Amino acid sequence: MTQHKYLLPESEMPTQWYNIVPDLPEPPPPALHPGTREPAGPDDFAPLFPMDLIMQEVTQDSYVDIPGEVMDIYKIWRPSPLFRAHRLEKLLDTPAKIFYKYEGVSPAGSHKPNTSVPQAYYNAKAGIKKLTTETGAGQWGSSLAFACAQFGLECEVWQVAASYKLKPYRKTMMEVWGAEVHPSPSDLTEFGRQLLAADPDHPGSLGIAISEAVAMAVESDEIRYALGSVLNHVLMHQTIIGEEALLQMQMAGETPDVLVGCTGGGSNFGGLSFPFLREKLKGNMDPTIRCVEPAACPSLTKGEYRYDFGDSAGMTPLMKMHTLGHDFIPDPIHAGGLRYHGMSPLVSHIYELGLVEAESIGQTECFNGALQFAKTEGIVPAPEPTHAIAAAIREANRCKETGEEKVILTALCGHGHLDLASYDQFLRGEVEDSTWDPQQMADAIATVPVV
Amino acid sequence: MTQHKYLLPESEMPTQWYNIVPDLPEPPPPALHPGTREPAGPDDFAPLFPMDLIMQEVTQDSYVDIPGEVMDIYKIWRPSPLFRAHRLEKLLDTPAKIFYKYEGVSPAGSHKPNTSVPQAYYNAKAGIKKLTTETGAGQWGSSLAFACAQFGLECEVWQVAASYKLKPYRKTMMEVWGAEVHPSPSDLTEFGRQLLAADPDHPGSLGIAISEAVAMAVESDEIRYALGSVLNHVLMHQTIIGEEALLQMQMAGETPDVLVGCTGGGSNFGGLSFPFLREKLKGNMDPTIRCVEPAACPSLTKGEYRYDFGDSAGMTPLMKMHTLGHDFIPDPIHAGGLRYHGMSPLVSHIYELGLVEAESIGQTECFNGALQFAKTEGIVPAPEPTHAIAAAIREANRCKETGEEKVILTALCGHGHLDLASYDQFLRGEVEDSTWDPQQMADAIATVPVV
């Protein structure tokens, strides 16, 4: 009988996060202070984050020890399983071998708790009482709510108003873990009040919700802000995924030829791929590494590489990244977690260095791949990783044509139990491929300050 | 650092199901043909089930080999993890050690695929083309839909109309796996049409949905029926839970003093407890084994032990079991899976023999326990296993008073990702303790044939 999954015992869970920055041929460009436009120093981030996280953001160490308190909580779901998709391979009739690392086993159902737990830990250690954040579909907000409950922190979440109304159960999940949830824009911040005055039914956006969460955090010494993707320390926390997957691929006796990961802010992709990129840079393996983004929000494949704000109100430091413009509002798609206007500066830099590739896929191809996956592998994927699945299926189908027995590795970063309304629309034939609008991007880019 | 979970590698997964019947001091009473009232033979079940399952229903063998094709699918999620609830213990400040076996890792999110997969396998092997079944909250229907997808069987599900309307996402999940779902009562069966003629908005019940699914199955040689609980072969398939848990408790170096499991039809409880009961009967351990049922549907603690039908229309064989009467309609509670009017004949018999205890708990105590559990252990439980959690917490609190360091083992038979509407109502203060009505039971029992 064939082996379906590769499990590490808790005793073999990696005990360090990996920081890829010192291994890159060139360092990434620094973040800039939004006012002075000078490189931002640790103190500039202090109103937002505790110093331990700021130092992780800029560290030149290749490895950072995972604190014991974080390890204890990771062990609720980590090490996560690596699966061989035998049954999907058979359906596709491909000579390729498809492996997927599954992060849906976490309490919140995605990879996000890999960073929410250490973020909550370092904030609690610094004496912070409350964390604020934004969330779109709710994956990040629920992950932070879970983490805050573990360390006795309060948690306040601004959820994009459209999602708040359409996905009430993610809100309930946050409340089960004790968080307070507001629709964004809200009347709790000046920026929110301005937007509501102009449009009482404003649907909100991730950039707006970030602005509101940041505004609340900087008001008090006892409150800090937590971001679920984009930043270096967030991607570093996620490398636990790739470090485990490296060990599990060894258990399976295979080396990946192709790695594909979906990219929204870049944390899932970076988490899986950076440890493999390290091995590639060392010459130990030579996989093709590919980002997959939605056709409706193609920051890597269509965006400009330039300094831009992380939020809509322009309160965050300026970061050099692939961006569609911080005012860009992507078409509504079901993969709410992939609708961010920018891309992680670190992933953007690595893409510019030519170390990784990128492609974009429309959502109907993604849902079709998801149905093939669910009927064979059993797991119903969240809309975000359906992009990774569709890309893996594309690769497996190419292998069928060429006869190549490639080893494909991807990350199934979350389950779709709270996204079944999306599947329902797709099954009823009501899901279309959204497109992106070059003119809207040009207009949005025009408002980005030239640095 | 403490160990949180105990994982078995796939290579150590048990390869046999356990049949407790030959180990009992007395055999359970036979099922009776609904017409002749004579003990039902294998041929009487043939219109409903394939012969392999019928022989498992009546086998005197202590062990049945799990087919390789079933093992291959079990490995999508099995062996399932056993957790030590360190964080819950700390919150309760109890000297007790609480372990829970978690079945929410299955594709459908509950223990039900442990039996849906072999049921689909044996039906496919017998040349059957389609399976019909009923479902309440949707756990069983989605599990059978998943299993049928694995073996290329069609799947048709009658979902209790009230659930069909209130829980649309379980229906979507079934459709993702390719099943056809009808609200019950439906206009597809004579019994359904009668009920709809009397009340076009009939809310349905599990007993009615069983009658409809059975009626469709007996019409064709290519269609059979699948039941998700109650019967001997179903409970036997679920013993994979307890067999794994025995090995995992050994890994943890602990022997349970108390086992608690929630009971609706009895399959989750039997699955966990029967292998431990075997060890108890052999004198290898001496745990107290306790069923926990909802106060609103107390078949074991308040029902009568007598022959009754499994469905509302009186089409199934008569089974000797604890019953509230096949016409009994329990108060609506959130644990839809625990609202069956009867109890597994095998669990009923074992309860009559005095080998297990039973208690009932109201749903507000269960939800309160669930919140404590979610905030510490991370997992949001389905409403059904909140009963087991509440019972485990009761036991742990008793240990706090007495100072006893008891080892408590329970089964967390599913997650609550599709039950967050229930949590939302509870958090808003809108959930009350339903009660059962002795007069309604007396009236229902009065319609049960005297055998």
Side-chain angles (χ1 to χ4, degrees):
Chain A
M1 281 180 293
T2 49
Q3 188 160 358
H4 189 75
K5 57 186 166 317
Y6 298 88
L7 299 173
L8 291 171
E10 287 180 3
S11 57
E12 291 178 29
M13 185 161 78
T15 58
Q16 296 183 311
W17 295 301
Y18 169 57
N19 174 29
I20 199 169
V21 172
D23 288 338
L24 294 175
E26 288 173 34
L32 303 182
H33 188 282
T36 66
R37 310 281 160 95
E38 293 297 315
D43 287 349
D44 293 325
F45 290 98
L48 291 179
F49 306 115
M51 200 46 72
D52 281 342
L53 289 176
I54 294 171
M55 296 319 292
Q56 289 183 2
E57 184 67 19
V58 297
T59 184
Q60 291 298 314
D61 295 339
S62 291
Y63 295 92
V64 172
D65 287 341
I66 306 175
E69 293 87 341
V70 172
M71 289 289 280
D72 274 346
I73 300 178
Y74 272 0
K75 288 189 290 185
I76 291 179
W77 73 97
R78 302 214 72 85
S80 71
L82 175 82
F83 290 101
R84 167 90 185 266
H86 287 291
R87 306 180 77 80
L88 177 62
E89 292 167 19
K90 194 174 163 195
L91 177 75
L92 299 174
D93 189 24
T94 177
K97 297 174 181 175
I98 304 173
F99 290 85
Y100 57 99
K101 177 76 170 163
Y102 183 43
E103 294 293 309
V105 292
S106 82
S110 78
H111 66 296
K112 295 286 186 186
N114 295 331
T115 185
S116 69
V117 171
Q119 289 194 51
Y121 165 74
Y122 289 115
N123 275 285
K125 192 177 154 213
I128 299 304
K129 302 294 183 216
K130 181 195 279 197
L131 288 179
T132 66
T133 199
E134 76 293 336
T135 198
Q139 290 278 15
W140 169 242
S142 53
S143 299
L144 191 67
F146 158 70
C148 285
Q150 301 305 312
F151 293 105
L153 290 171
E154 293 174 56
C155 182
E156 201 168 352
V157 181
W158 276 259
Q159 184 172 18
V160 174
S163 290
Y164 183 91
K165 285 170 196 156
L166 286 173
K167 301 207 171 184
Y169 300 132
R170 272 282 169 198
K171 169 169 60 92
T172 304
M173 197 176 220
M174 294 182 242
E175 291 173 343
V176 164
W177 285 316
E180 193 177 352
V181 188
H182 314 289
S184 168
S186 74
D187 58 7
L188 297 164
T189 68
E190 180 54 34
F191 187 51
R193 284 189 292 269
Q194 282 174 22
L195 295 168
L196 286 176
D199 177 5
D201 294 321
H202 198 296
S205 77
L206 218 42
I208 294 167
I210 294 175
S211 296
E212 295 204 271
V214 164
M216 287 301 279
V218 298
E219 270 184 17
S220 162
D221 277 352
E222 297 195 329
I223 307 177
R224 290 291 179 275
Y225 166 73
L227 188 63
S229 189
V230 177
L231 298 179
N232 295 356
H233 69 273
V234 177
L235 272 60
M236 187 183 73
H237 296 155
Q238 294 292 356
T239 59
I240 185 85
I241 302 173
E243 294 289 8
E244 286 180 7
L246 266 175
L247 298 173
Q248 290 164 308
M249 289 300 287
Q250 282 170 18
M251 289 170 75
E254 302 284 357
T255 307
D257 299 303
V258 183
L259 239 100
V260 290
C262 62
T263 47
S267 76
N268 162 65
F269 174 80
L272 175 70
S273 68
F274 286 176
F276 287 89
L277 182 52
R278 174 189 66 215
E279 299 305 313
K280 180 174 173 148
L281 291 167
K282 280 188 190 171
N284 292 333
M285 56 176 72
D286 192 26
T288 299
I289 303 179
R290 189 176 299 137
C291 304
V292 191
E293 57 187 14
C297 191
S299 53
L300 276 174
T301 53
K302 303 281 187 184
E304 288 192 17
Y305 183 54
R306 60 184 295 162
Y307 275 98
D308 196 0
F309 295 110
D311 71 323
S312 296
M315 299 173 68
T316 70
L318 287 154
M319 296 175 289
K320 192 158 185 188
M321 59 183 178
H322 289 82
T323 179
L324 302 166
H326 63 277
D327 284 338
F328 184 86
I329 308 281
D331 266 7
I333 54 170
H334 290 285
L338 305 184
R339 287 181 74 245
Y340 187 59
H341 68 270
M343 175 52 59
S344 149
L346 194 46
V347 171
S348 294
H349 176 63
I350 287 169
Y351 179 65
E352 284 297 309
L353 291 173
L355 297 174
V356 302
E357 304 176 353
E359 70 179 332
S360 72
I361 304 188
Q363 65 178 347
T364 57
E365 180 178 342
C366 295
F367 273 114
N368 277 316
L371 289 190
Q372 289 184 306
F373 188 88
K375 284 183 182 164
T376 50
E377 296 299 306
I379 300 166
V380 180
E384 290 79 8
T386 64
H387 292 74
I389 290 168
I393 290 174
R394 278 187 179 186
E395 192 69 36
N397 285 338
R398 278 192 286 267
C399 288
K400 186 179 175 181
E401 286 181 19
T402 63
E404 287 173 288
E405 297 183 10
K406 282 189 184 173
V407 175
I408 302 166
L409 172 63
T410 191
L412 184 56
C413 61
H415 63 64
H417 299 161
L418 298 178
D419 304 285
L420 286 162
S422 303
Y423 281 90
D424 186 55
Q425 285 187 29
F426 180 71
L427 290 169
R428 312 256 160 274
E430 293 165 8
V431 170
E432 290 177 9
D433 275 327
S434 302
T435 51
W436 75 290
D437 178 352
Q439 187 58 49
Q440 198 209 336
M441 177 182 127
D443 294 346
I445 289 286
T447 71
V448 176
V450 178
V451 176
Chain B
M1 283 180 292
T2 49
Q3 188 160 0
H4 189 75
K5 57 187 165 318
Y6 299 88
L7 299 173
L8 291 170
E10 287 181 3
S11 57
E12 291 178 28
M13 184 161 78
T15 57
Q16 297 184 310
W17 295 301
Y18 169 57
N19 174 29
I20 199 171
V21 172
D23 288 337
L24 294 175
E26 288 174 37
L32 303 182
H33 188 281
T36 67
R37 309 282 159 92
E38 294 297 315
D43 288 349
D44 293 325
F45 289 99
L48 292 180
F49 306 115
M51 200 47 70
D52 281 342
L53 289 176
I54 294 171
M55 297 319 292
Q56 289 184 1
E57 184 66 19
V58 297
T59 183
Q60 290 298 313
D61 295 339
S62 291
Y63 294 93
V64 172
D65 287 341
I66 305 175
E69 292 86 343
V70 172
M71 289 290 280
D72 273 347
I73 300 178
Y74 272 0
K75 287 189 290 185
I76 291 178
W77 73 96
R78 304 214 70 84
S80 70
L82 175 82
F83 290 100
R84 168 90 185 266
H86 287 290
R87 307 180 76 81
L88 177 63
E89 291 168 18
K90 194 174 164 196
L91 176 75
L92 299 174
D93 189 24
T94 176
K97 298 174 182 174
I98 304 173
F99 290 85
Y100 57 99
K101 177 77 169 162
Y102 183 44
E103 293 293 310
V105 292
S106 82
S110 78
H111 66 297
K112 295 286 184 185
N114 295 331
T115 185
S116 69
V117 171
Q119 288 194 49
Y121 166 75
Y122 288 115
N123 274 285
K125 191 176 155 214
I128 299 304
K129 304 293 183 215
K130 180 195 278 194
L131 289 179
T132 66
T133 199
E134 75 293 334
T135 199
Q139 291 277 16
W140 169 242
S142 53
S143 299
L144 191 67
F146 158 71
C148 285
Q150 302 304 312
F151 293 104
L153 290 170
E154 293 173 55
C155 182
E156 201 167 352
V157 181
W158 276 260
Q159 184 172 19
V160 174
S163 290
Y164 183 91
K165 285 169 197 159
L166 285 173
K167 301 206 172 185
Y169 299 133
R170 273 282 170 198
K171 169 169 61 90
T172 304
M173 196 177 221
M174 294 183 243
E175 291 172 344
V176 164
W177 285 316
E180 193 177 352
V181 188
H182 314 289
S184 168
S186 73
D187 59 8
L188 297 164
T189 68
E190 180 55 34
F191 186 50
R193 285 188 291 270
Q194 282 175 23
L195 295 168
L196 287 176
D199 177 4
D201 294 320
H202 198 298
S205 78
L206 218 43
I208 293 166
I210 294 175
S211 296
E212 293 205 284
V214 164
M216 288 301 280
V218 298
E219 270 184 15
S220 161
D221 277 352
E222 296 195 330
I223 308 177
R224 290 291 179 277
Y225 167 73
L227 189 64
S229 189
V230 177
L231 298 179
N232 295 355
H233 69 275
V234 177
L235 272 62
M236 187 184 73
H237 297 156
Q238 293 292 354
T239 58
I240 185 85
I241 302 173
E243 294 289 10
E244 286 181 6
L246 266 174
L247 298 174
Q248 290 164 309
M249 289 300 287
Q250 283 170 17
M251 288 169 75
E254 300 285 356
T255 307
D257 298 303
V258 183
L259 238 101
V260 291
C262 62
T263 48
S267 75
N268 161 67
F269 174 81
L272 175 70
S273 68
F274 286 177
F276 287 88
L277 182 52
R278 174 189 66 214
E279 300 305 313
K280 180 174 173 149
L281 291 168
K282 280 187 188 170
N284 293 334
M285 56 176 72
D286 192 26
T288 298
I289 302 178
R290 189 176 299 137
C291 305
V292 191
E293 56 187 16
C297 191
S299 53
L300 276 174
T301 53
K302 303 282 188 184
E304 288 192 17
Y305 184 55
R306 59 183 296 161
Y307 274 98
D308 196 359
F309 295 111
D311 71 322
S312 296
M315 300 172 70
T316 70
L318 287 154
M319 296 175 289
K320 193 159 185 186
M321 59 183 178
H322 289 82
T323 179
L324 302 165
H326 62 276
D327 285 338
F328 184 86
I329 307 280
D331 266 7
I333 55 170
H334 290 285
L338 306 183
R339 288 180 74 244
Y340 187 60
H341 68 270
M343 175 51 59
S344 148
L346 194 47
V347 171
S348 294
H349 176 63
I350 287 168
Y351 180 65
E352 284 296 308
L353 291 173
L355 298 174
V356 302
E357 303 177 353
E359 70 179 331
S360 71
I361 304 188
Q363 65 180 345
T364 57
E365 180 178 341
C366 295
F367 273 113
N368 277 316
L371 288 190
Q372 290 184 305
F373 188 88
K375 283 183 183 163
T376 50
E377 297 298 308
I379 300 166
V380 180
E384 291 79 7
T386 64
H387 292 74
I389 290 168
I393 290 175
R394 278 187 179 185
E395 192 69 38
N397 285 337
R398 277 192 287 269
C399 287
K400 186 179 177 182
E401 286 182 19
T402 63
E404 288 173 288
E405 297 182 10
K406 282 188 183 175
V407 176
I408 302 167
L409 171 62
T410 191
L412 184 56
C413 60
H415 63 64
H417 299 162
L418 298 178
D419 304 286
L420 285 162
S422 303
Y423 280 90
D424 186 55
Q425 285 187 30
F426 180 70
L427 290 169
R428 312 253 160 275
E430 294 165 7
V431 169
E432 291 177 8
D433 274 328
S434 302
T435 50
W436 75 290
D437 178 353
Q439 187 59 48
Q440 197 211 339
M441 176 182 129
D443 294 345
I445 289 285
T447 71
V448 176
V450 179
V451 175

